[in-house]
CSV table of all heavy atoms in Angstrom, one decimal:
chain,number,residue,atom,x,y,z
A,197,ARG,N,0.8,-1.2,0.0
A,197,ARG,CA,0.0,0.0,0.0
A,197,ARG,C,0.8,1.3,0.0
A,197,ARG,O,0.5,2.3,-0.6
A,197,ARG,CB,-0.9,0.0,1.2
A,197,ARG,CG,-1.9,1.0,1.2
A,197,ARG,CD,-2.9,1.0,2.3
A,197,ARG,NE,-2.7,-0.1,3.3
A,197,ARG,CZ,-3.6,-0.4,4.2
A,197,ARG,NH1,-4.7,0.3,4.3
A,197,ARG,NH2,-3.4,-1.4,5.0
A,198,ASP,N,2.0,1.3,0.7
A,198,ASP,CA,2.8,2.5,0.9
A,198,ASP,C,4.1,2.5,0.0
A,198,ASP,O,4.8,3.4,0.0
A,198,ASP,CB,3.1,2.7,2.3
A,198,ASP,CG,1.9,2.8,3.2
A,198,ASP,OD1,0.9,3.5,2.8
A,198,ASP,OD2,1.9,2.2,4.3
A,199,ASN,N,4.4,1.3,-0.6
A,199,ASN,CA,5.7,1.2,-1.2
A,199,ASN,C,5.5,0.6,-2.7
A,199,ASN,O,4.9,-0.5,-2.8
A,199,ASN,CB,6.6,0.2,-0.4
A,199,ASN,CG,7.9,0.1,-1.1
A,199,ASN,OD1,8.3,0.8,-2.0
A,199,ASN,ND2,8.6,-0.9,-0.6
A,200,TYR,N,5.9,1.4,-3.6
A,200,TYR,CA,5.7,1.0,-5.0
A,200,TYR,C,7.1,0.8,-5.7
A,200,TYR,O,7.3,1.2,-6.8
A,200,TYR,CB,4.9,1.9,-5.8
A,200,TYR,CG,3.4,2.0,-5.4
A,200,TYR,CD1,3.0,2.9,-4.5
A,200,TYR,CD2,2.6,1.0,-5.9
A,200,TYR,CE1,1.7,2.9,-4.0
A,200,TYR,CE2,1.2,1.0,-5.5
A,200,TYR,CZ,0.8,2.0,-4.6
A,200,TYR,OH,-0.5,1.9,-4.1
A,201,ASP,N,8.0,0.2,-4.9
A,201,ASP,CA,9.4,0.1,-5.4
A,201,ASP,C,9.5,-1.3,-6.0
A,201,ASP,O,10.1,-2.2,-5.5
A,201,ASP,CB,10.4,0.2,-4.2
A,201,ASP,CG,11.8,0.2,-4.7
A,201,ASP,OD1,12.1,0.5,-5.8
A,201,ASP,OD2,12.7,-0.2,-3.8
A,202,TYR,N,9.0,-1.4,-7.2
A,202,TYR,CA,9.0,-2.7,-7.9
A,202,TYR,C,9.1,-2.4,-9.4
A,202,TYR,O,8.7,-1.3,-9.9
A,202,TYR,CB,7.9,-3.6,-7.6
A,202,TYR,CG,6.5,-3.1,-8.1
A,202,TYR,CD1,6.0,-3.6,-9.3
A,202,TYR,CD2,5.8,-2.2,-7.4
A,202,TYR,CE1,4.8,-3.1,-9.8
A,202,TYR,CE2,4.6,-1.7,-7.9
A,202,TYR,CZ,4.1,-2.2,-9.1
A,202,TYR,OH,2.9,-1.8,-9.6
A,203,GLN,N,9.5,-3.5,-10.2
A,203,GLN,CA,9.4,-3.4,-11.6
A,203,GLN,C,8.7,-4.7,-12.1
A,203,GLN,O,8.8,-5.7,-11.4
A,203,GLN,CB,10.8,-3.5,-12.2
A,203,GLN,CG,11.6,-2.2,-12.0
A,203,GLN,CD,12.9,-2.3,-12.8
A,203,GLN,OE1,13.6,-3.3,-12.7
A,203,GLN,NE2,13.3,-1.2,-13.5
A,204,GLU,N,8.0,-4.6,-13.2
A,204,GLU,CA,7.3,-5.8,-13.7
A,204,GLU,C,7.3,-5.8,-15.2
A,204,GLU,O,7.4,-4.8,-15.9
A,204,GLU,CB,5.9,-5.9,-13.1
A,204,GLU,CG,4.9,-4.9,-13.6
A,204,GLU,CD,3.6,-5.0,-13.0
A,204,GLU,OE1,3.4,-5.6,-11.9
A,204,GLU,OE2,2.6,-4.6,-13.6
A,205,VAL,N,7.2,-7.0,-15.7
A,205,VAL,CA,7.0,-7.3,-17.1
A,205,VAL,C,5.8,-8.1,-17.3
A,205,VAL,O,5.7,-9.1,-16.6
A,205,VAL,CB,8.3,-8.0,-17.7
A,205,VAL,CG1,8.1,-8.3,-19.2
A,205,VAL,CG2,9.5,-7.2,-17.5
A,206,MET,N,4.9,-7.7,-18.2
A,206,MET,CA,3.6,-8.4,-18.3
A,206,MET,C,3.4,-8.8,-19.8
A,206,MET,O,3.7,-8.1,-20.7
A,206,MET,CB,2.5,-7.6,-17.9
A,206,MET,CG,1.1,-8.3,-18.0
A,206,MET,SD,-0.3,-7.3,-17.7
A,206,MET,CE,-0.3,-6.2,-19.1
A,207,VAL,N,2.9,-10.1,-19.9
A,207,VAL,CA,2.5,-10.5,-21.3
A,207,VAL,C,1.2,-11.1,-21.1
A,207,VAL,O,0.8,-11.7,-20.1
A,207,VAL,CB,3.5,-11.6,-21.8
A,207,VAL,CG1,3.0,-12.2,-23.1
A,207,VAL,CG2,4.9,-11.0,-22.0
A,208,ARG,N,0.3,-11.0,-22.1
A,208,ARG,CA,-1.0,-11.5,-22.1
A,208,ARG,C,-1.3,-12.3,-23.4
A,208,ARG,O,-0.7,-12.1,-24.4
A,208,ARG,CB,-2.1,-10.5,-21.8
A,208,ARG,CG,-2.1,-9.4,-22.9
A,208,ARG,CD,-3.1,-8.4,-22.5
A,208,ARG,NE,-3.0,-7.2,-23.3
A,208,ARG,CZ,-3.6,-6.1,-23.1
A,208,ARG,NH1,-4.4,-6.0,-22.1
A,208,ARG,NH2,-3.4,-5.1,-23.9
A,209,ALA,N,-2.2,-13.3,-23.2
A,209,ALA,CA,-2.6,-14.1,-24.4
A,209,ALA,C,-4.1,-14.5,-24.2
A,209,ALA,O,-4.6,-14.4,-23.1
A,209,ALA,CB,-1.7,-15.4,-24.4
A,210,GLN,N,-4.7,-14.8,-25.3
A,210,GLN,CA,-6.1,-15.1,-25.3
A,210,GLN,C,-6.4,-16.4,-25.9
A,210,GLN,O,-5.6,-16.9,-26.7
A,210,GLN,CB,-6.9,-14.0,-26.1
A,210,GLN,CG,-6.8,-12.6,-25.7
A,210,GLN,CD,-5.5,-11.9,-26.1
A,210,GLN,OE1,-4.9,-12.3,-27.1
A,210,GLN,NE2,-5.0,-11.0,-25.3
A,211,ALA,N,-7.5,-17.0,-25.4
A,211,ALA,CA,-8.0,-18.3,-26.0
A,211,ALA,C,-9.5,-18.2,-26.0
A,211,ALA,O,-10.1,-17.9,-24.9
A,211,ALA,CB,-7.5,-19.5,-25.2
A,212,GLY,N,-10.1,-18.6,-27.1
A,212,GLY,CA,-11.6,-18.6,-27.1
A,212,GLY,C,-12.2,-19.7,-26.3
A,212,GLY,O,-11.5,-20.7,-26.0
A,213,ILE,N,-13.4,-19.5,-25.9
A,213,ILE,CA,-14.2,-20.5,-25.1
A,213,ILE,C,-15.3,-21.1,-25.9
A,213,ILE,O,-16.1,-20.3,-26.5
A,213,ILE,CB,-14.8,-19.9,-23.8
A,213,ILE,CG1,-13.7,-19.2,-23.0
A,213,ILE,CG2,-15.6,-20.9,-23.0
A,213,ILE,CD1,-14.2,-18.3,-21.8
A,214,ASP,N,-15.3,-22.4,-26.1
A,214,ASP,CA,-16.3,-23.1,-26.9
A,214,ASP,C,-17.3,-23.7,-25.9
A,214,ASP,O,-17.0,-24.6,-25.2
A,214,ASP,CB,-15.7,-24.2,-27.8
A,214,ASP,CG,-16.7,-24.9,-28.6
A,214,ASP,OD1,-17.9,-24.6,-28.5
A,214,ASP,OD2,-16.3,-25.7,-29.4
A,215,PHE,N,-18.4,-23.0,-25.7
A,215,PHE,CA,-19.4,-23.5,-24.8
A,215,PHE,C,-20.1,-24.8,-25.1
A,215,PHE,O,-20.6,-25.5,-24.3
A,215,PHE,CB,-20.6,-22.4,-24.6
A,215,PHE,CG,-20.1,-21.1,-24.1
A,215,PHE,CD1,-20.0,-20.0,-24.9
A,215,PHE,CD2,-19.6,-21.0,-22.8
A,215,PHE,CE1,-19.6,-18.8,-24.4
A,215,PHE,CE2,-19.2,-19.8,-22.3
A,215,PHE,CZ,-19.2,-18.7,-23.1
A,216,ASN,N,-19.9,-25.2,-26.4
A,216,ASN,CA,-20.6,-26.5,-26.8
A,216,ASN,C,-19.6,-27.5,-27.2
A,216,ASN,O,-19.9,-28.4,-28.0
A,216,ASN,CB,-21.5,-26.1,-28.1
A,216,ASN,CG,-22.5,-25.1,-27.7
A,216,ASN,OD1,-23.2,-25.3,-26.7
A,216,ASN,ND2,-22.7,-24.1,-28.5
A,217,ARG,N,-18.4,-27.5,-26.7
A,217,ARG,CA,-17.4,-28.5,-27.0
A,217,ARG,C,-17.8,-29.8,-26.6
A,217,ARG,O,-18.1,-30.0,-25.4
A,217,ARG,CB,-16.0,-28.1,-26.4
A,217,ARG,CG,-14.9,-29.0,-26.9
A,217,ARG,CD,-13.6,-28.3,-26.7
A,217,ARG,NE,-12.6,-29.2,-27.2
A,217,ARG,CZ,-11.3,-29.0,-27.1
A,217,ARG,NH1,-10.9,-28.0,-26.4
A,217,ARG,NH2,-10.5,-29.8,-27.6
A,218,LYS,N,-17.8,-30.8,-27.5
A,218,LYS,CA,-18.3,-32.1,-27.2
A,218,LYS,C,-17.4,-32.8,-26.2
A,218,LYS,O,-16.1,-32.6,-26.2
A,218,LYS,CB,-18.3,-32.9,-28.5
A,218,LYS,CG,-19.4,-32.5,-29.4
A,218,LYS,CD,-19.5,-33.4,-30.6
A,218,LYS,CE,-20.7,-33.0,-31.5
A,218,LYS,NZ,-20.9,-33.8,-32.6
A,219,GLY,N,-18.0,-33.5,-25.2
A,219,GLY,CA,-17.2,-34.2,-24.2
A,219,GLY,C,-16.8,-33.4,-23.0
A,219,GLY,O,-16.1,-33.9,-22.2
A,220,MET,N,-17.2,-32.1,-23.0
A,220,MET,CA,-16.8,-31.2,-21.9
A,220,MET,C,-18.0,-30.5,-21.3
A,220,MET,O,-18.8,-30.0,-22.1
A,220,MET,CB,-15.8,-30.1,-22.4
A,220,MET,CG,-14.4,-30.6,-22.7
A,220,MET,SD,-13.3,-29.2,-22.9
A,220,MET,CE,-11.8,-30.0,-23.3
A,221,ASP,N,-18.0,-30.4,-20.0
A,221,ASP,CA,-19.0,-29.5,-19.4
A,221,ASP,C,-18.5,-28.1,-19.4
A,221,ASP,O,-17.3,-27.9,-19.8
A,221,ASP,CB,-19.5,-30.0,-18.0
A,221,ASP,CG,-18.4,-29.9,-17.0
A,221,ASP,OD1,-17.4,-29.1,-17.1
A,221,ASP,OD2,-18.5,-30.6,-16.0
A,222,ILE,N,-19.3,-27.1,-19.0
A,222,ILE,CA,-18.9,-25.7,-19.1
A,222,ILE,C,-17.6,-25.4,-18.3
A,222,ILE,O,-16.7,-24.6,-18.8
A,222,ILE,CB,-20.0,-24.8,-18.7
A,222,ILE,CG1,-19.8,-23.3,-19.2
A,222,ILE,CG2,-20.4,-24.8,-17.3
A,222,ILE,CD1,-19.8,-23.1,-20.7
A,223,SER,N,-17.5,-26.0,-17.1
A,223,SER,CA,-16.2,-25.7,-16.3
A,223,SER,C,-15.0,-26.2,-17.0
A,223,SER,O,-13.9,-25.6,-17.0
A,223,SER,CB,-16.4,-26.2,-14.9
A,223,SER,OG,-16.5,-27.6,-14.9
A,224,GLN,N,-15.1,-27.4,-17.6
A,224,GLN,CA,-14.0,-28.0,-18.4
A,224,GLN,C,-13.6,-27.1,-19.6
A,224,GLN,O,-12.4,-26.9,-19.9
A,224,GLN,CB,-14.3,-29.4,-18.8
A,224,GLN,CG,-14.4,-30.4,-17.6
A,224,GLN,CD,-14.9,-31.7,-18.1
A,224,GLN,OE1,-15.8,-31.8,-18.9
A,224,GLN,NE2,-14.3,-32.8,-17.5
A,225,SER,N,-14.6,-26.6,-20.2
A,225,SER,CA,-14.4,-25.7,-21.4
A,225,SER,C,-13.6,-24.4,-21.0
A,225,SER,O,-12.6,-24.0,-21.6
A,225,SER,CB,-15.7,-25.4,-22.1
A,225,SER,OG,-15.4,-24.6,-23.2
A,226,PHE,N,-14.1,-23.8,-19.8
A,226,PHE,CA,-13.4,-22.7,-19.3
A,226,PHE,C,-12.0,-23.0,-18.9
A,226,PHE,O,-11.0,-22.3,-19.2
A,226,PHE,CB,-14.1,-22.1,-18.1
A,226,PHE,CG,-15.2,-21.1,-18.5
A,226,PHE,CD1,-16.4,-21.5,-19.0
A,226,PHE,CD2,-15.0,-19.7,-18.4
A,226,PHE,CE1,-17.4,-20.6,-19.4
A,226,PHE,CE2,-16.0,-18.8,-18.7
A,226,PHE,CZ,-17.2,-19.2,-19.2
A,227,GLY,N,-11.8,-24.1,-18.2
A,227,GLY,CA,-10.5,-24.6,-17.7
A,227,GLY,C,-9.5,-24.8,-18.9
A,227,GLY,O,-8.3,-24.5,-18.8
A,228,SER,N,-10.0,-25.5,-19.9
A,228,SER,CA,-9.2,-25.8,-21.1
A,228,SER,C,-8.7,-24.5,-21.7
A,228,SER,O,-7.5,-24.3,-22.1
A,228,SER,CB,-10.0,-26.6,-22.1
A,228,SER,OG,-9.3,-26.8,-23.3
A,229,SER,N,-9.6,-23.5,-21.9
A,229,SER,CA,-9.2,-22.2,-22.5
A,229,SER,C,-8.3,-21.5,-21.6
A,229,SER,O,-7.3,-20.8,-22.1
A,229,SER,CB,-10.5,-21.4,-22.8
A,229,SER,OG,-11.3,-22.0,-23.7
A,230,SER,N,-8.5,-21.5,-20.3
A,230,SER,CA,-7.6,-20.9,-19.3
A,230,SER,C,-6.2,-21.4,-19.4
A,230,SER,O,-5.2,-20.7,-19.5
A,230,SER,CB,-8.1,-21.0,-17.9
A,230,SER,OG,-7.2,-20.5,-17.0
A,231,SER,N,-6.1,-22.8,-19.4
A,231,SER,CA,-4.8,-23.4,-19.5
A,231,SER,C,-4.0,-23.0,-20.8
A,231,SER,O,-2.8,-22.8,-20.8
A,231,SER,CB,-4.9,-24.9,-19.5
A,231,SER,OG,-5.4,-25.4,-18.2
A,232,TYR,N,-4.8,-23.0,-21.9
A,232,TYR,CA,-4.2,-22.7,-23.2
A,232,TYR,C,-3.7,-21.2,-23.2
A,232,TYR,O,-2.6,-21.0,-23.6
A,232,TYR,CB,-5.3,-22.9,-24.3
A,232,TYR,CG,-4.7,-22.8,-25.7
A,232,TYR,CD1,-4.2,-23.9,-26.3
A,232,TYR,CD2,-4.8,-21.6,-26.4
A,232,TYR,CE1,-3.8,-23.8,-27.6
A,232,TYR,CE2,-4.3,-21.5,-27.7
A,232,TYR,CZ,-3.8,-22.6,-28.3
A,232,TYR,OH,-3.3,-22.6,-29.6
A,233,ALA,N,-4.5,-20.3,-22.7
A,233,ALA,CA,-4.1,-18.9,-22.7
A,233,ALA,C,-2.9,-18.7,-21.8
A,233,ALA,O,-2.0,-17.9,-22.1
A,233,ALA,CB,-5.3,-18.0,-22.3
A,234,ARG,N,-2.9,-19.3,-20.6
A,234,ARG,CA,-1.8,-19.2,-19.7
A,234,ARG,C,-0.5,-19.7,-20.3
A,234,ARG,O,0.5,-19.1,-20.2
A,234,ARG,CB,-2.1,-19.9,-18.4
A,234,ARG,CG,-3.2,-19.2,-17.5
A,234,ARG,CD,-3.6,-20.0,-16.3
A,234,ARG,NE,-4.4,-19.2,-15.5
A,234,ARG,CZ,-4.4,-19.2,-14.2
A,234,ARG,NH1,-3.5,-20.0,-13.5
A,234,ARG,NH2,-5.2,-18.4,-13.5
A,235,LYS,N,-0.6,-20.9,-21.0
A,235,LYS,CA,0.6,-21.5,-21.6
A,235,LYS,C,1.2,-20.5,-22.6
A,235,LYS,O,2.4,-20.3,-22.7
A,235,LYS,CB,0.2,-22.8,-22.2
A,235,LYS,CG,1.4,-23.4,-22.9
A,235,LYS,CD,1.1,-24.8,-23.4
A,235,LYS,CE,0.8,-24.8,-24.9
A,235,LYS,NZ,0.7,-26.2,-25.5
A,236,TYR,N,0.3,-19.9,-23.4
A,236,TYR,CA,0.8,-19.0,-24.4
A,236,TYR,C,1.3,-17.6,-23.9
A,236,TYR,O,2.2,-17.0,-24.4
A,236,TYR,CB,-0.2,-18.9,-25.6
A,236,TYR,CG,0.0,-20.1,-26.5
A,236,TYR,CD1,-0.8,-21.2,-26.3
A,236,TYR,CD2,1.0,-20.2,-27.4
A,236,TYR,CE1,-0.7,-22.4,-27.0
A,236,TYR,CE2,1.2,-21.4,-28.1
A,236,TYR,CZ,0.4,-22.4,-27.9
A,236,TYR,OH,0.6,-23.6,-28.6
A,237,ALA,N,0.8,-17.2,-22.8
A,237,ALA,CA,1.3,-16.0,-22.1
A,237,ALA,C,2.7,-16.3,-21.6
A,237,ALA,O,3.6,-15.5,-21.7
A,237,ALA,CB,0.4,-15.6,-20.9
A,238,LEU,N,2.9,-17.5,-21.0
A,238,LEU,CA,4.2,-17.9,-20.5
A,238,LEU,C,5.2,-18.1,-21.7
A,238,LEU,O,6.3,-17.7,-21.6
A,238,LEU,CB,4.1,-19.2,-19.7
A,238,LEU,CG,3.4,-19.1,-18.4
A,238,LEU,CD1,3.2,-20.5,-17.8
A,238,LEU,CD2,4.3,-18.3,-17.4
A,239,ASN,N,4.7,-18.6,-22.8
A,239,ASN,CA,5.5,-18.8,-24.0
A,239,ASN,C,6.0,-17.4,-24.5
A,239,ASN,O,7.2,-17.2,-24.8
A,239,ASN,CB,4.7,-19.4,-25.2
A,239,ASN,CG,4.6,-20.9,-25.0
A,239,ASN,OD1,5.1,-21.5,-24.1
A,239,ASN,ND2,3.8,-21.5,-25.9
A,240,GLY,N,5.1,-16.4,-24.4
A,240,GLY,CA,5.5,-15.1,-24.8
A,240,GLY,C,6.5,-14.4,-23.9
A,240,GLY,O,7.5,-13.8,-24.3
A,241,LEU,N,6.3,-14.6,-22.6
A,241,LEU,CA,7.1,-14.0,-21.6
A,241,LEU,C,8.5,-14.6,-21.6
A,241,LEU,O,9.5,-13.9,-21.6
A,241,LEU,CB,6.5,-14.2,-20.2
A,241,LEU,CG,7.3,-13.6,-19.0
A,241,LEU,CD1,7.4,-12.0,-19.2
A,241,LEU,CD2,6.6,-13.9,-17.7
């Protein structure tokens, strides 16, 4: 709160969510898209 003595580097990535993906319920679809986007953000960083 009182100290902003830091540096950061940020990368972001996106992945679409398919609500009707066969064999997955909605939480699995969100989780799959999250994992994919996170992996590609790390790839970029």
Side-chain angles (χ1 to χ4, degrees):
R197 187 176 2 189
D198 301 320
N199 181 11
Y200 292 95
D201 187 22
Y202 70 94
Q203 291 185 314
E204 67 181 25
V205 178
M206 180 185 72
V207 173
R208 60 184 168 188
Q210 301 80 27
I213 301 168
D214 182 355
F215 296 111
N216 301 310
R217 189 158 182 190
K218 291 186 180 183
M220 288 190 181
D221 66 23
I222 193 71
S223 62
Q224 290 171 319
S225 183
F226 273 77
S228 175
S229 296
S230 171
S231 293
Y232 191 87
R234 287 174 174 221
K235 179 173 100 167
Y236 282 94
L238 291 169
N239 283 355
L241 182 61

